[in-house]
């Protein structure tokens, strides 16, 4: 079971990742809680570069995919092979949303990188590792901006204007439309308890809890 958590900055996914990990652990699962970019020592170094250094969109895309490759090989694939549950704070949909939607980088190139980086075994291009379920916390960027205002020192992405997040949101919507079985869209403009109820319902609908 591989579940990813997605949404624009400020959509409020983080607390629910912890909550779902607790619920699944209480039901006897071994849960690996991880994030992208990051999740390994090398990928965390790449994360610091991507979040803090100015760079062009292709460089950004290559670095997040490099981080993803290391993360898949070191953490995600071994965990899935053991039968653990993997909960990942962002995965490839974030690349399509941020570098593709937000930055306007070529989606066809991202698709090629996705096929290469996420190939399972040696059959590059045939089987591609994707989450079994993607929880998409969808929120109006104007509301997300209000939530983020003054909360902390913004990183490179959090400092972007609302228009950037409109494009990121459209990127997520496009990915969700392409893979409706995998995506669960959660209305993030609700109380935390209401969003949490929707998280549990989406996980149950998949037969995962
Ligand atoms: P985020 O997941 O929001 O973590 P935190 O809560 O610590 O801020 O931050 C990760 C940022 O990286 C987020 O702004 C989205 C961006 N990102 C990309 O641009 N491309 C990617 O492929 C991934 C995984 C993340």
């Amino acid at each position: 079971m591989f579940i990813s958590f997605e949404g624009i900055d400020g959509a409020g996914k983080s607390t629910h990742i912890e909550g779902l990990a607790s619920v699944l652990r209480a039901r006897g699962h071994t849960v690996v809680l991880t994030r992208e970019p990051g999740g390994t020592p090398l990928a965390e170094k790449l994360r610091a570069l991507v979040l803090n250094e100015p760079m062009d969109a292709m460089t950004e895309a290559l670095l997040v995919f490099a981080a993803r490759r290391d993360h898949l090989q070191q953490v995600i694939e071994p965990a899935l092979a053991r039968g653990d549950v993997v909960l990942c704070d962002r995965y490839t949909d974030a690349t399509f949303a941020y570098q593709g939607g937000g930055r306007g980088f070529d989606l066809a190139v991202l698709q090629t990188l996705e096929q290469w980086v996420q190939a399972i075994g040696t059959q590059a291009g045939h089987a591609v590792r994707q989450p079994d379920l993607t929880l998409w916390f969808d929120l109006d960027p104007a509301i997300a901006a209000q939530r983020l205002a003054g909360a902390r020192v913004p990183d490179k992405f959090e400092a972007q204007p609302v228009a950037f997040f409109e494009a990121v949101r459209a990127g997520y919507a496009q990915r969700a439309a392409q893979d409706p079985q995998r995506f669960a869209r959660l209305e993030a403009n609700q109380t935390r308890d209401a969003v949490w109820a929707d998280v549990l319902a989406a996980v149950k609908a998949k037969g995962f809890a």
Side-chain angles (χ1 to χ4, degrees), residues 9 13-14 35-37 47 50-51 60 64 68 89-92 94-95 98-99 152 155 157-158:
D9 290 274
K13 61 188 162 49
S14 298
R35 69 173 181 180
E36 291 210 348
R47 177 190 178 92
V50 169
L51 265 55
E60 233 170 63
V64 294
R68 182 161 303 129
D89 189 346
R90 302 190 184 281
Y91 188 62
T92 305
T95 312
Y98 281 78
Q99 281 66 52
R152 57 183 169 185
D155 65 32
F157 293 106
E158 289 162 352

Short mmCIF file of all heavy atoms in Angstrom, two decimals, residues 9 13-14 35-37 47 50-51 60 64 68 89-92 94-95 98-99 152 155 157-158, ligand 1:
data_model
loop_
_atom_site.label_atom_id
_atom_site.label_comp_id
_atom_site.label_asym_id
_atom_site.label_seq_id
_atom_site.Cartn_x
_atom_site.Cartn_y
_atom_site.Cartn_z
N ASP A 9 0.84 24.47 -1.43
CA ASP A 9 1.34 24.88 -0.11
C ASP A 9 0.20 25.56 0.66
O ASP A 9 -0.48 26.43 0.11
CB ASP A 9 2.52 25.84 -0.26
CG ASP A 9 3.75 25.13 -0.80
OD1 ASP A 9 4.50 24.59 0.01
OD2 ASP A 9 3.93 25.10 -2.04
N LYS A 13 -2.14 19.37 4.39
CA LYS A 13 -2.04 17.91 4.32
C LYS A 13 -1.22 17.31 5.47
O LYS A 13 -1.47 16.17 5.85
CB LYS A 13 -1.44 17.48 2.98
CG LYS A 13 -0.04 18.01 2.72
CD LYS A 13 0.43 17.71 1.31
CE LYS A 13 1.60 18.58 0.93
NZ LYS A 13 2.73 18.67 1.87
N SER A 14 -0.27 18.07 6.02
CA SER A 14 0.73 17.48 6.92
C SER A 14 0.14 16.81 8.16
O SER A 14 0.53 15.69 8.50
CB SER A 14 1.76 18.53 7.33
OG SER A 14 2.44 18.97 6.17
N ARG A 35 8.84 11.64 2.69
CA ARG A 35 8.44 12.85 1.95
C ARG A 35 9.31 13.05 0.73
O ARG A 35 10.40 12.50 0.62
CB ARG A 35 8.56 14.07 2.85
CG ARG A 35 10.01 14.44 3.19
CD ARG A 35 10.05 15.75 3.93
NE ARG A 35 11.41 16.17 4.26
CZ ARG A 35 11.69 17.29 4.91
NH1 ARG A 35 10.73 18.09 5.31
NH2 ARG A 35 12.93 17.63 5.18
N GLU A 36 8.79 13.88 -0.19
CA GLU A 36 9.55 14.26 -1.38
C GLU A 36 9.48 15.77 -1.58
O GLU A 36 8.45 16.37 -1.27
CB GLU A 36 9.01 13.54 -2.61
CG GLU A 36 9.29 12.07 -2.57
CD GLU A 36 9.45 11.44 -3.95
OE1 GLU A 36 9.12 12.09 -4.97
OE2 GLU A 36 9.91 10.30 -4.01
N PRO A 37 10.51 16.43 -2.15
CA PRO A 37 11.79 15.77 -2.30
C PRO A 37 12.37 15.45 -0.93
O PRO A 37 12.21 16.22 0.00
CB PRO A 37 12.64 16.81 -3.03
CG PRO A 37 11.86 18.07 -3.12
CD PRO A 37 10.51 17.84 -2.58
N ARG A 47 16.77 18.28 -1.72
CA ARG A 47 15.61 19.08 -1.29
C ARG A 47 16.03 20.49 -0.87
O ARG A 47 15.40 21.47 -1.27
CB ARG A 47 14.90 18.40 -0.12
CG ARG A 47 13.74 19.19 0.45
CD ARG A 47 13.23 18.60 1.75
NE ARG A 47 12.14 19.39 2.31
CZ ARG A 47 10.85 19.16 2.05
NH1 ARG A 47 10.49 18.16 1.30
NH2 ARG A 47 9.93 19.93 2.57
N VAL A 50 16.72 22.49 -3.95
CA VAL A 50 15.52 22.80 -4.74
C VAL A 50 14.67 23.87 -4.05
O VAL A 50 14.12 24.76 -4.70
CB VAL A 50 14.69 21.51 -4.99
CG1 VAL A 50 13.32 21.84 -5.56
CG2 VAL A 50 15.45 20.58 -5.92
N LEU A 51 14.57 23.78 -2.71
CA LEU A 51 13.70 24.72 -2.00
C LEU A 51 14.33 26.09 -1.76
O LEU A 51 13.60 27.04 -1.47
CB LEU A 51 13.26 24.12 -0.65
CG LEU A 51 11.91 23.40 -0.67
CD1 LEU A 51 11.85 22.31 -1.72
CD2 LEU A 51 11.56 22.84 0.70
N GLU A 60 15.34 22.19 -11.87
CA GLU A 60 14.46 21.80 -10.77
C GLU A 60 13.88 20.40 -10.99
O GLU A 60 13.89 19.55 -10.11
CB GLU A 60 13.30 22.80 -10.70
CG GLU A 60 13.09 23.44 -9.37
CD GLU A 60 12.09 24.57 -9.50
OE1 GLU A 60 10.92 24.34 -9.87
OE2 GLU A 60 12.50 25.71 -9.25
N VAL A 64 14.51 17.07 -8.69
CA VAL A 64 13.46 16.35 -7.94
C VAL A 64 13.37 14.90 -8.43
O VAL A 64 13.12 13.99 -7.62
CB VAL A 64 12.07 17.04 -7.95
CG1 VAL A 64 12.12 18.35 -7.18
CG2 VAL A 64 11.49 17.21 -9.32
N ARG A 68 13.98 11.59 -6.29
CA ARG A 68 12.95 10.52 -6.32
C ARG A 68 13.57 9.16 -6.61
O ARG A 68 13.19 8.15 -6.01
CB ARG A 68 11.90 10.88 -7.37
CG ARG A 68 10.75 9.91 -7.49
CD ARG A 68 9.56 10.58 -8.18
NE ARG A 68 9.18 11.76 -7.45
CZ ARG A 68 9.01 12.97 -8.00
NH1 ARG A 68 9.13 13.13 -9.29
NH2 ARG A 68 8.70 14.00 -7.24
N ASP A 89 4.60 12.22 1.70
CA ASP A 89 4.20 13.61 1.60
C ASP A 89 4.75 14.16 0.28
O ASP A 89 5.93 14.49 0.20
CB ASP A 89 4.79 14.36 2.82
CG ASP A 89 4.27 15.78 2.93
OD1 ASP A 89 3.68 16.29 1.96
OD2 ASP A 89 4.48 16.37 4.01
N ARG A 90 3.92 14.13 -0.74
CA ARG A 90 4.23 14.50 -2.13
C ARG A 90 4.98 13.38 -2.85
O ARG A 90 5.76 12.64 -2.26
CB ARG A 90 5.04 15.79 -2.26
CG ARG A 90 4.37 17.01 -1.62
CD ARG A 90 5.12 18.28 -1.99
NE ARG A 90 4.56 19.45 -1.33
CZ ARG A 90 3.45 20.08 -1.75
NH1 ARG A 90 2.81 19.63 -2.83
NH2 ARG A 90 2.99 21.12 -1.12
N TYR A 91 4.70 13.33 -4.16
CA TYR A 91 5.40 12.39 -5.06
C TYR A 91 5.35 13.01 -6.45
O TYR A 91 5.33 14.26 -6.57
CB TYR A 91 4.72 11.00 -4.94
CG TYR A 91 5.40 9.86 -5.65
CD1 TYR A 91 6.70 9.45 -5.30
CD2 TYR A 91 4.75 9.18 -6.67
CE1 TYR A 91 7.30 8.38 -5.96
CE2 TYR A 91 5.35 8.10 -7.32
CZ TYR A 91 6.62 7.72 -6.96
OH TYR A 91 7.21 6.65 -7.61
N THR A 92 5.31 12.22 -7.49
CA THR A 92 5.48 12.76 -8.85
C THR A 92 4.40 13.74 -9.29
O THR A 92 4.67 14.61 -10.12
CB THR A 92 5.54 11.59 -9.85
OG1 THR A 92 6.57 10.72 -9.40
CG2 THR A 92 5.86 12.06 -11.23
N ALA A 94 3.39 16.14 -7.74
CA ALA A 94 3.90 17.47 -7.38
C ALA A 94 4.83 18.01 -8.46
O ALA A 94 4.86 19.23 -8.71
CB ALA A 94 4.62 17.42 -6.03
N THR A 95 5.56 17.14 -9.11
CA THR A 95 6.44 17.60 -10.18
C THR A 95 5.62 18.09 -11.38
O THR A 95 5.92 19.13 -11.97
CB THR A 95 7.39 16.47 -10.63
OG1 THR A 95 7.96 15.87 -9.47
CG2 THR A 95 8.49 17.00 -11.54
N TYR A 98 3.98 21.46 -9.95
CA TYR A 98 4.86 22.61 -9.68
C TYR A 98 5.77 22.94 -10.87
O TYR A 98 5.80 24.07 -11.33
CB TYR A 98 5.70 22.38 -8.41
CG TYR A 98 4.93 22.62 -7.14
CD1 TYR A 98 4.03 21.67 -6.66
CD2 TYR A 98 5.06 23.80 -6.42
CE1 TYR A 98 3.30 21.89 -5.50
CE2 TYR A 98 4.34 24.04 -5.25
CZ TYR A 98 3.46 23.09 -4.80
OH TYR A 98 2.73 23.32 -3.66
N GLN A 99 6.54 21.94 -11.33
CA GLN A 99 7.44 22.23 -12.44
C GLN A 99 6.65 22.32 -13.76
O GLN A 99 6.94 23.16 -14.61
CB GLN A 99 8.54 21.17 -12.54
CG GLN A 99 9.68 21.34 -11.53
CD GLN A 99 9.23 21.15 -10.09
OE1 GLN A 99 8.62 20.13 -9.74
NE2 GLN A 99 9.53 22.13 -9.25
N ARG A 152 5.29 31.22 8.82
CA ARG A 152 6.71 30.90 8.95
C ARG A 152 7.45 31.60 7.83
O ARG A 152 6.84 32.18 6.94
CB ARG A 152 6.94 29.39 8.87
CG ARG A 152 6.38 28.81 7.58
CD ARG A 152 6.53 27.31 7.52
NE ARG A 152 5.76 26.78 6.40
CZ ARG A 152 5.61 25.50 6.14
NH1 ARG A 152 6.17 24.61 6.92
NH2 ARG A 152 4.91 25.10 5.10
N ASP A 155 9.62 29.34 1.99
CA ASP A 155 10.68 28.86 1.11
C ASP A 155 10.42 29.41 -0.30
O ASP A 155 9.49 30.20 -0.52
CB ASP A 155 10.80 27.32 1.16
CG ASP A 155 9.58 26.59 0.62
OD1 ASP A 155 8.92 27.10 -0.30
OD2 ASP A 155 9.29 25.49 1.14
N PHE A 157 9.12 28.24 -2.98
CA PHE A 157 7.80 28.02 -3.57
C PHE A 157 6.73 28.78 -2.80
O PHE A 157 5.85 29.41 -3.38
CB PHE A 157 7.47 26.53 -3.63
CG PHE A 157 8.36 25.79 -4.59
CD1 PHE A 157 9.38 24.97 -4.13
CD2 PHE A 157 8.21 25.95 -5.96
CE1 PHE A 157 10.22 24.30 -5.00
CE2 PHE A 157 9.05 25.28 -6.85
CZ PHE A 157 10.06 24.46 -6.37
N GLU A 158 6.81 28.72 -1.47
CA GLU A 158 5.79 29.39 -0.65
C GLU A 158 5.77 30.89 -0.90
O GLU A 158 4.75 31.54 -0.66
CB GLU A 158 6.04 29.09 0.84
CG GLU A 158 5.73 27.63 1.19
CD GLU A 158 6.36 27.17 2.50
OE1 GLU A 158 7.17 27.93 3.09
OE2 GLU A 158 6.05 26.05 2.93
P1 LIG B 1 6.18 20.82 1.38
O1 LIG B 1 5.85 19.44 0.97
O2 LIG B 1 5.07 21.82 1.35
O3 LIG B 1 6.88 20.71 2.77
P2 LIG B 1 6.85 21.74 3.96
O4 LIG B 1 5.53 21.49 4.63
O5 LIG B 1 8.04 21.35 4.77
O6 LIG B 1 6.95 23.12 3.36
O7 LIG B 1 7.39 21.45 0.53
C1 LIG B 1 7.91 20.89 -0.59
C2 LIG B 1 7.95 21.91 -1.69
O8 LIG B 1 8.59 21.33 -2.82
C3 LIG B 1 6.56 22.35 -2.13
O9 LIG B 1 6.53 23.76 -2.27
C4 LIG B 1 6.41 21.72 -3.49
C5 LIG B 1 7.81 21.53 -3.98
N1 LIG B 1 7.96 20.36 -4.88
C6 LIG B 1 8.20 20.56 -6.23
O10 LIG B 1 8.28 21.71 -6.68
N2 LIG B 1 8.36 19.48 -7.05
C7 LIG B 1 8.28 18.20 -6.59
O11 LIG B 1 8.42 17.24 -7.37
C8 LIG B 1 8.04 17.99 -5.20
C9 LIG B 1 7.96 16.61 -4.64
C10 LIG B 1 7.86 19.11 -4.37
#
